[in-house]
Amino acid sequence: MKPGKFITLEGVDGAGKSTHLDYLTDKIRSQGVELVVTREPGGTPLGEKLRTLLLNDPMQPDTELMLMYAARAEHVAGLIKPALVRGAWVLSDRFADASYAYQCGGRGIDAARLESLEIWTLSGFKPDLTLLFDVSPEVAEARRSQARAADRFEQEQVDFFKRVREAYLHRAEREPGRIKVIDASHSIENIRAELDRIMESL
Ligand code: TMP
């Protein structure tokens, strides 16, 4: 049995990930591949409880980072790896690059702390492909849903999202083979054409 592929979607809040996630889901499933669609923080019963805390309860940046990794440890062991081993593909709305962008970039936590958590919980496990939807914080802010109350992250100011974006782009520069940067200010048609091209290579 060939192991499945692990694909993650990243970007600042409001970059349009959800729309593209639906497109990719349909595209992959139309190839007859078993696909597990999941998200972080979350993806397991315990992870979803941690998500509720993370998105709503005030906490220290270190607490936030460690809870993200606690949820991730559950997610990887309980859902992602078993799916990949049985040959399914996994599409996750965010993964470890988000911790680097939000907790290190946004909150200012030293990257060495994150790296030690990464070695501990992931031991080198990485997505096969990461799609980074890149857009300016100003455009992202205008796009963010007004339909529901903003969560703890969405309430942050533009400067926070500028740092998050820079950290994402820095990560992409370091790992250009895995992380593909997509200009999310383009039209949906252009973005879909680019996604089609990238997915061909998988
Ligand atoms: P979502 O709104 O895209 O589902 O993500 C929930 C929020 O959690 C989003 O604002 C980014 C944040 N987040 C982190 O700060 N660090 C992480 O490691 C992850 C996975 C998400």
Side-chain angles (χ1 to χ4, degrees):
M1 169 75 69
K2 225 172 97 187
K5 300 280 185 196
F6 178 33
I7 304 169
T8 59
L9 271 58
E10 299 283 357
V12 297
D13 298 80
K17 273 184 299 107
S18 313
T19 313
H20 304 304
L21 181 110
D22 291 345
Y23 176 72
L24 286 167
T25 300
D26 291 347
K27 189 173 167 63
I28 296 168
R29 288 196 173 137
S30 73
Q31 305 291 309
V33 173
E34 183 197 347
L35 178 70
V36 174
V37 181
T38 185
R39 67 174 179 182
E40 287 209 348
T44 64
L46 178 60
E48 290 295 326
K49 287 185 189 165
L50 293 172
R51 179 186 177 92
T52 303
L53 294 176
L54 280 159
L55 266 50
N56 299 296
D57 289 41
M59 63 185 74
Q60 297 298 322
D62 280 347
T63 313
E64 187 179 279
L65 177 65
M66 289 189 279
L67 286 182
M68 289 291 178
Y69 270 88
R72 187 161 296 132
E74 283 295 305
H75 197 202
V76 170
L79 186 93
I80 298 175
K81 282 193 175 169
L84 295 174
V85 166
R86 69 171 187 268
W89 286 34
V90 177
L91 186 58
S92 184
D93 187 346
R94 299 195 187 281
F95 191 62
D97 297 302
S99 296
Y100 180 77
Y102 280 79
Q103 280 65 56
C104 297
R107 304 277 190 232
I109 296 180
D110 191 318
R113 292 193 176 178
L114 178 140
E115 275 153 23
S116 61
L117 283 172
E118 230 172 66
I119 292 166
W120 182 13
T121 57
L122 301 181
S123 324
F125 175 71
K126 282 190 179 203
D128 296 291
L129 171 70
T130 296
L131 301 165
L132 171 56
F133 294 92
D134 180 54
V135 77
S136 76
E138 290 81 6
V139 170
E141 186 174 29
R143 279 188 191 169
R144 277 200 283 280
S145 170
Q146 311 295 322
R148 55 171 177 78
D151 65 38
R152 219 163 52 76
F153 293 97
E154 292 164 338
Q155 284 166 17
E156 289 292 339
Q157 304 301 309
V158 163
D159 275 356
F160 175 86
F161 291 105
K162 279 191 181 147
R163 295 195 299 276
V164 170
R165 181 193 196 192
E166 276 163 22
Y168 266 135
L169 291 174
H170 180 245
R171 188 90 155 175
E173 264 171 32
R174 282 175 44 188
E175 292 188 62
R178 172 175 69 87
I179 306 179
K180 303 294 174 201
V181 183
I182 294 164
D183 185 339
S185 66
H186 285 169
S187 69
I188 289 202
E189 292 68 32
N190 281 350
I191 293 173
R192 287 184 176 174
E194 196 171 348
L195 290 175
D196 290 349
R197 268 198 304 279
I198 295 170
M199 294 302 291
E200 280 298 310
S201 66
L202 269 192

